[in-house]
Amino acid sequence: MDRINAMRAFVTVVSEGAFTRAADRLETSPQLVSKYVSQLEQHLGVRLLNRTTRKIHLTEAGTSYHQRAQQVLNDIDEMESQIGDLQTRAQGLLRISAPVSFAIRHMAPLLSEFQKAHPGVGIDLQLNDRKVDVVEEGFDVVLRIGHLKSSSLIAKRIAPVRIVMCASPAYLKQNGTPQHPEDLQGHRYLRYSYIELDSSQSLHRWLQNNGQNNSSGMTSNNGDVLVESAISGAGIALQPTFISGPAIKEGKLQVILQEYELEPMGLYAVYAHRQLLASKVRSFIDFIDGYFGDPPYWD
Amino acid sequence: MDRINAMRAFVTVVSEGAFTRAADRLETSPQLVSKYVSQLEQHLGVRLLNRTTRKIHLTEAGTSYHQRAQQVLNDIDEMESQIGDLQTRAQGLLRISAPVSFAIRHMAPLLSEFQKAHPGVGIDLQLNDRKVDVVEEGFDVVLRIGHLKSSSLIAKRIAPVRIVMCASPAYLKQNGTPQHPEDLQGHRYLRYSYIELDSSQSLHRWLQNNGQNNSSGMTSNNGDVLVESAISGAGIALQPTFISGPAIKEGKLQVILQEYELEPMGLYAVYAHRQLLASKVRSFIDFIDGYFGDPPYWD
DNA sequence: GGACACTATCAACAATTCATTGATAATAAC
DNA sequence: GTTATTATCAATGAATTGTTGATAGTGTCC
């Protein structure tokens, strides 16, 4: 027996004063209402209503139960409609994790526009380059760069991420422009600590051999620093175009070994479930998807 | 789906932090708990928990729902246990209707003893000789004298009620003692307005003919008055022995036409239902049943 | 006062839902 | 890399649900 329905039936019978009218209002048959009330009485072990075929009268137990049951039903209704509101109008706090360099350069206008479109949504943006656990750390969405291995999570590809090698024209003039990965030998490499590379690619093979023990170059876990260093002639950086793009456009950096370019990675929005998504999350996913254009505006 | 069970499952999962432990505590299978929570989510249209195989995390909607759901469950539990108490310990207000003359003479000690045995029960005793509607007027028990025709109500026979004709020895000396119903002709009849008589009886036939238009005697709707009148020699009264008994024992009244005595009626306790009786009612019925003895102490 | 309409409930059936079992994918610990 | 644990899925038989038609009680209207 669904006690909530039974309670609702009982309360309706009391307020309507008759089983038939209660059944009308609940859009069921009088038989069912009668059965519900009987079952409720059986469950409680007390008669709630004294009834003839014409009149209904509450017993003492019924009176006491009625009040409280009505309160409980109100609470439930309110509770559910509140959940419903939370669902239809996007609202609440949206907790996002994003890669540091990407967020610094490209998240601010997006979030500002998103909040203009969804005033009820507050945003908590956490910048992080390490691997973040969506559920464990309570994020609604995690933006991540790389090739995603399958898991129980949903990963929606938001934008392609091209990783290019580049250096300042001055540096290349002084040290020569590599035409082949093997020419990289002896160059100063500006290494990014967290980069995930697909080992099937030739560019990677060199990096594995020479990049790892990068005695002559520098290493950082922040791409901006590396790109800025490259711009000032510190060496060769392997960084995504969403960082190096403007500098390349302005001629401050020059792309090298373009024909050996790494297979494009992606910017992914990772979230927990496809179904029953809170609408703040769904709205955000919809919003960010396509926001950067294809190809993205930084390329 | 029983939403209450589903809510309980959800709340337990949250408080236990795992489906398996929740299942243990609820004494069901983890599968069922999982299903309940899923159904609840489906019903609400929101994800309540983000879950991997290892960790559980509340969503925002889940957090909001959890609090309120717990409150609702507490309310329900409290409500039901209160009803249960009301049921096991007899308590509450017991509303009784009883015939005027009977109640005046015989109810006081009974009620006093009953309340001593059941301190939690308050009593509202309404004296009334008209036909009272148990459910309509909200009585728990109606004591009624007569032959009960079947209805949806339960009528438990509490004691036999003998109706006897009697008059004072002085009256009989002066007017003669009737030996046969036909001898009643010409006597002064002290008529009771509400008496219900079975028309198959010879005594009744006379009353129908002679009693109805009772020009020479008197009529009252109160048996005590009639009996007192009979004692003081006003005529012949047809009244139950629970009124006339003591006067008869003391010789103030003399029974006549004993061989034509009306078939004994009964004192009935009428109540609405046999099952799911509030225990204050059941206790009272049990208490009054047998209280007057068989034959009753007034005979 | 008797036919009538209305009401609550009962009984029985078909459709649905339920709880259980075993299997599976994902994850953490060893 | 293997094992153990966890949540969920899938399939099955069992229990429950809501429906239908029937029945008894109860006012009402001529």
Side-chain angles (χ1 to χ4, degrees):
Chain A
M1 172 195 48
D2 186 339
R3 291 226 281 303
I4 291 183
N5 282 342
M7 276 166 58
R8 207 176 291 280
F10 167 65
V11 166
T12 310
V13 167
V14 171
S15 65
E16 291 290 324
F19 280 69
T20 317
R21 252 173 299 154
D24 280 353
R25 199 140 81 78
L26 296 171
E27 296 180 354
T28 56
S29 60
Q31 287 95 324
L32 202 51
V33 174
S34 168
K35 208 189 242 180
Y36 271 169
V37 174
S38 299
Q39 285 177 342
L40 190 60
E41 289 178 329
Q42 200 116 24
H43 172 75
L44 296 170
V46 205
R47 196 92 185 177
L48 296 171
L49 294 168
N50 281 331
R51 38 201 188 271
T52 65
T53 55
R54 292 284 151 177
K55 290 271 165 65
I56 294 285
H57 267 259
L58 279 169
T59 63
E60 189 176 7
T63 312
S64 136
Y65 192 78
H66 174 67
Q67 275 180 289
R68 289 164 153 274
Q70 201 157 34
Q71 186 57 46
V72 166
L73 289 177
N74 283 345
D75 285 356
I76 292 174
D77 286 347
E78 195 185 316
M79 184 163 85
E80 301 207 338
S81 77
Q82 186 184 313
I83 294 278
D85 274 14
L86 215 96
Q87 188 60 2
T88 51
R89 306 185 229 152
Q91 62 176 8
L93 185 66
L94 182 66
R95 295 175 41 94
I96 307 172
S97 171
V100 180
S101 297
F102 180 81
I104 287 169
R105 293 180 177 253
H106 304 288
M107 290 295 285
L110 182 150
L111 292 177
S112 153
E113 281 184 46
F114 179 74
Q115 283 201 300
K116 214 166 282 174
H118 303 276
V121 181
I123 287 174
D124 176 5
L125 176 68
Q126 295 289 323
L127 266 44
N128 237 317
D129 280 333
R130 64 181 169 75
K131 195 185 163 196
V132 164
D133 189 314
V134 180
V135 298
E136 180 70 20
E137 306 185 29
F139 285 108
D140 294 308
V141 188
V142 169
L143 297 181
R144 193 179 292 167
I145 289 167
H147 293 105
L148 283 254
K149 53 177 183 180
S150 73
S151 88
S152 60
L153 302 168
I154 307 301
K156 188 178 179 63
R157 188 188 176 97
I158 300 300
V161 172
R162 282 176 58 219
I163 313 266
V164 296
M165 278 211 147
C166 53
S168 70
Y171 173 89
L172 293 174
K173 200 167 183 181
Q174 192 174 345
N175 299 278
T177 302
Q179 301 300 326
H180 192 273
E182 281 158 17
D183 299 343
L184 289 167
Q185 190 75 35
H187 275 276
R188 284 206 298 284
Y189 178 48
L190 306 174
R191 182 171 166 268
Y192 179 63
S193 320
Y194 286 157
I195 205 159
E196 297 167 23
L197 289 170
D198 188 326
S199 62
S200 67
Q201 303 194 29
S202 61
L203 199 55
H204 176 253
R205 247 176 279 130
W206 175 83
L207 289 167
Q208 195 141 53
N209 298 335
N210 303 67
Q212 297 281 34
N213 297 317
N214 190 31
S215 50
S216 63
M218 81 179 264
T219 298
S220 173
N221 67 349
N222 183 283
D224 290 87
V225 173
L226 297 174
V227 169
E228 289 303 319
S229 301
I231 290 171
S232 53
I236 298 173
L238 179 67
Q239 283 297 316
T241 52
F242 64 74
I243 299 179
S244 53
I248 293 168
K249 265 192 193 130
E250 294 171 20
K252 293 182 189 163
L253 285 178
Q254 195 176 323
V255 178
I256 60 170
L257 295 173
Q258 196 149 14
E259 52 271 36
Y260 299 96
E261 191 178 315
L262 292 169
E263 193 167 293
M265 297 203 265
L267 172 69
Y268 290 88
V270 180
Y271 50 100
H273 307 278
R274 208 181 288 280
Q275 293 174 332
L276 298 177
L277 213 52
S279 74
K280 60 181 179 180
V281 180
R282 172 152 304 289
S283 302
F284 181 75
I285 301 289
D286 290 348
F287 194 85
I288 198 175
D289 184 28
Y291 180 86
F292 300 116
D294 187 19
Y297 59 73
W298 54 75
D299 276 346
Chain B
M1 171 193 50
D2 186 341
R3 291 227 281 305
I4 291 183
N5 282 343
M7 277 166 57
R8 207 176 293 280
F10 167 64
V11 167
T12 310
V13 167
V14 171
S15 65
E16 291 291 324
F19 280 68
T20 316
R21 252 174 298 153
D24 282 353
R25 199 140 81 80
L26 296 172
E27 295 180 354
T28 56
S29 59
Q31 289 94 323
L32 202 51
V33 174
S34 168
K35 208 189 246 179
Y36 271 171
V37 174
S38 299
Q39 285 176 342
L40 191 61
E41 289 179 328
Q42 199 115 26
H43 172 76
L44 295 171
V46 203
R47 196 93 187 174
L48 296 172
L49 295 168
N50 280 331
R51 38 202 189 274
T52 65
T53 55
R54 291 285 150 179
K55 288 271 164 64
I56 294 284
H57 267 258
L58 278 170
T59 63
E60 190 176 3
T63 313
S64 136
Y65 191 79
H66 174 66
Q67 273 181 289
R68 290 163 152 277
Q70 201 157 34
Q71 187 56 45
V72 165
L73 289 176
N74 283 344
D75 285 356
I76 291 174
D77 286 348
E78 195 185 316
M79 184 163 85
E80 300 207 339
S81 77
Q82 185 185 312
I83 292 280
D85 275 14
L86 212 98
Q87 190 56 3
T88 50
R89 307 183 227 152
Q91 61 176 9
L93 185 66
L94 182 66
R95 294 174 42 93
I96 307 172
S97 170
V100 180
S101 298
F102 180 82
I104 288 169
R105 292 178 180 255
H106 303 289
M107 290 295 284
L110 181 150
L111 292 177
S112 152
E113 281 185 46
F114 178 73
Q115 282 201 300
K116 214 166 281 172
H118 301 278
V121 181
I123 287 174
D124 175 6
L125 177 66
Q126 296 288 323
L127 266 44
N128 237 316
D129 279 333
R130 66 182 168 75
K131 195 183 162 198
V132 164
D133 189 313
V134 180
V135 298
E136 180 70 19
E137 306 185 29
F139 285 108
D140 294 308
V141 187
V142 168
L143 297 182
R144 192 178 292 168
I145 289 167
H147 292 103
L148 283 257
K149 53 178 183 180
S150 74
S151 87
S152 61
L153 302 169
I154 307 301
K156 187 178 178 66
R157 189 189 176 96
I158 300 300
V161 173
R162 280 176 58 219
I163 313 269
V164 296
M165 280 214 147
C166 52
S168 69
Y171 173 90
L172 293 174
K173 200 167 183 181
Q174 192 174 344
N175 298 278
T177 303
Q179 302 300 325
H180 191 274
E182 280 157 18
D183 298 344
L184 289 167
Q185 189 75 34
H187 276 275
R188 285 205 298 284
Y189 177 47
L190 307 174
R191 181 169 167 268
Y192 179 63
S193 321
Y194 286 158
I195 204 158
E196 299 169 22
L197 288 170
D198 188 326
S199 63
S200 69
Q201 303 194 31
S202 61
L203 198 56
H204 175 252
R205 246 175 279 131
W206 175 82
L207 290 168
Q208 194 141 55
N209 297 336
N210 305 66
Q212 295 280 35
N213 298 314
N214 190 30
S215 52
S216 64
M218 82 179 265
T219 297
S220 172
N221 67 350
N222 182 284
D224 290 86
V225 172
L226 296 175
V227 168
E228 290 303 318
S229 300
I231 290 171
S232 51
I236 297 172
L238 179 69
Q239 284 296 318
T241 51
F242 64 76
I243 300 178
S244 53
I248 292 168
K249 264 193 195 132
E250 294 171 21
K252 292 183 190 163
L253 285 177
Q254 196 177 322
V255 178
I256 61 170
L257 294 173
Q258 196 148 15
E259 54 270 39
Y260 298 96
E261 191 176 315
L262 290 169
E263 196 168 288
M265 297 203 265
L267 173 69
Y268 290 88
V270 180
Y271 49 100
H273 306 277
R274 208 182 291 280
Q275 292 172 333
L276 297 177
L277 215 50
S279 75
K280 60 181 180 180
V281 180
R282 171 153 304 290
S283 304
F284 180 75
I285 302 290
D286 290 348
F287 194 84
I288 198 175
D289 185 26
Y291 180 85
F292 300 115
D294 188 19
Y297 59 73
W298 55 73
D299 277 344

